[in-house]
Amino acid sequence: MGGPAVVRVLRDPTAGRYLAGVVVSGFGTSAMWLTAGIWVKSLTGSNSLAALTVGAMWAPVLAGPALGALADRMDRKKLLVRVNLVMAALLATLVLVDSASTVWLVFVVLVLYGASGVVLDAAESALVAGTVHASLLADFNGLRMTANEGMKLVAPLAGAGLYARFGGPAVALLDAATCALAALVFARLRVREAPRPPAGAWRGELLAGLRRIRASAVLRPLVTAGAATMLLAGVNGAVTFAYVDDVLGRTPEYAGILYAVQGAGSVAVGLLVGPLLRRLPERVFASAGMALFALAVGARTLPHDGVALGASAAIGFGLPCVLIATMTAVQRETPDAVLGRTAATAGSLMTAPNAVALAVGAGLVAVVDVRVLTAAGGAAGLLAAALLAAGAARRRTAPASPSAPASASGPASASTPTSASDPASASDPAGESGPASPEP
């Protein structure tokens, strides 16, 4: 279905090497993500500190606008290389952690790791938008999702096995090696970047991405939908173990099977998203994904293993749809000068609700029946999906503005891959996009 486009993405020297870097670094990150909690738990005996390892990596997302500004003020290729090398050095220091008194170093490194991830995502999004053809951006973002989710299926098991045999320092060194290797891969990217514009006032610099999103009729509803989806995803994640215990009557280990099935669904959608976004407007695609996700969450009220496995696959398939559609729109609609900040701001706006909802959901599940939470979450998700789809229908049926060009509501030109980088477009947000341009 999407074979030719996928092959073209993989054959592109920049896209292919970048995806290779994603696979390499993603393996180390996924291994460390799980192992850090196990490591801290074994050294301190504290469940709270073990859970805090995840929070340490998530916290820097809140500083997305500031961290994203680095991607707009520095050479992005050099930024990818240098940040990965710095993280390789920092991760190597974790060999010094051998007792509860040195656990603080783990949290320092994890916070910096999370910050580096925000910077890297912003730089990568901006770099790819200027080098990968506009008609292939959705395919590329889908493959990136597939690579990330594929690593999440295998890397945690590898990390846990390595930890069991050699301890936490061995996993840290593995992650450091993957960062160093990713830096080498990124150093071989063949890109030519335009000179960075001079920096303006710091307040304007930080708010540039937010202003861009608020002013865009394309980005604003998609980012809002992404935030709503991730809010519900956080609640859904928080009730997973209660769902396994109270609804399915299974042991906690069964949650691992559900997560694996969910990951497989995300791998699948990553391969299909490019062809689907060439046939569907972004809002329609995103709303369909939200609706599928919501139905799957609501289905978790039923105490059947078959339903549980199907719902997990549907969650993994539906949840990424709105995220991929949004980030593809950000890459296409945003001028290069503010693309790093806009991408980081969009990421922060969409992922921060997830962290908040995880904490709120953990409290709610102690006082509210899990079936009530899943049913309410499913209903809320369906309502949000319907509102997004209704907005798309209104834009398609609204009369065109007499002063707007005939193509204002269409996609970016396929013959001009860098058209989204035209500074002249910064004050003229495009209308709702239709299907992506045909392949050149």
Side-chain angles (χ1 to χ4, degrees), residues 256-355:
I257 298 176
L258 298 183
Y259 280 128
V261 173
Q262 180 175 324
S266 296
V267 169
V269 75
L271 297 174
L272 298 173
V273 66
L276 290 173
L277 273 175
R278 274 189 286 278
R279 290 163 173 79
L280 296 172
E282 283 157 348
R283 281 202 206 182
V284 174
F285 175 76
S287 63
M290 290 179 67
L292 179 61
F293 165 75
L295 288 171
V297 171
R300 286 188 157 185
T301 58
L302 303 176
H304 304 294
D305 285 344
V307 173
L309 294 173
S312 293
I315 288 171
F317 194 99
L319 179 59
C321 291
V322 64
L323 305 179
I324 296 175
T326 301
M327 294 313 295
T328 301
V330 167
Q331 290 170 322
R332 192 192 63 246
E333 300 288 335
T334 308
D336 180 76
V338 294
L339 183 48
R341 280 163 288 176
T342 305
T345 300
S348 295
L349 291 174
M350 290 191 293
T351 55
N354 183 263

Side-chain angles (χ1 to χ4, degrees), residues 18 22 25 61 67-68 71 79-80 83-84 113-128 141 144 148 327 331 339-341 343-344 347 351:
Y18 170 64
V22 168
S25 62
V61 168
L67 294 171
L79 193 61
L80 292 178
V83 170
N84 273 288
Y113 205 164
S116 73
V118 176
V119 174
L120 291 174
D121 282 347
E124 291 161 359
S125 294
L127 197 61
V128 166
N141 290 328
R144 187 180 188 277
N148 277 328
M327 294 313 295
Q331 290 170 322
L339 183 48
R341 280 163 288 176
T351 55

Side-chain angles (χ1 to χ4, degrees), residues 205-260:
E205 291 278 296
L206 298 185
L207 296 179
L210 181 60
R211 286 198 303 269
R212 179 65 189 174
I213 292 170
R214 290 180 61 184
S216 172
V218 176
L219 302 183
R220 186 176 61 253
L222 285 172
V223 172
T224 302
T229 303
M230 292 303 290
L231 181 71
L232 296 175
V235 175
N236 178 66
V239 306
T240 294
F241 287 102
Y243 165 66
V244 168
D245 183 18
D246 298 342
V247 179
L248 298 179
R250 292 278 192 165
T251 62
E253 289 77 10
Y254 192 72
I257 298 176
L258 298 183
Y259 280 128

Side-chain angles (χ1 to χ4, degrees), residues 27-53:
F27 183 89
T29 299
S30 296
M32 191 65 191
W33 186 281
L34 172 67
T35 304
I38 300 173
W39 194 4
V40 169
K41 166 69 175 177
S42 67
L43 290 176
T44 66
S46 170
N47 289 321
S48 297
L49 287 176
L52 193 58
T53 59

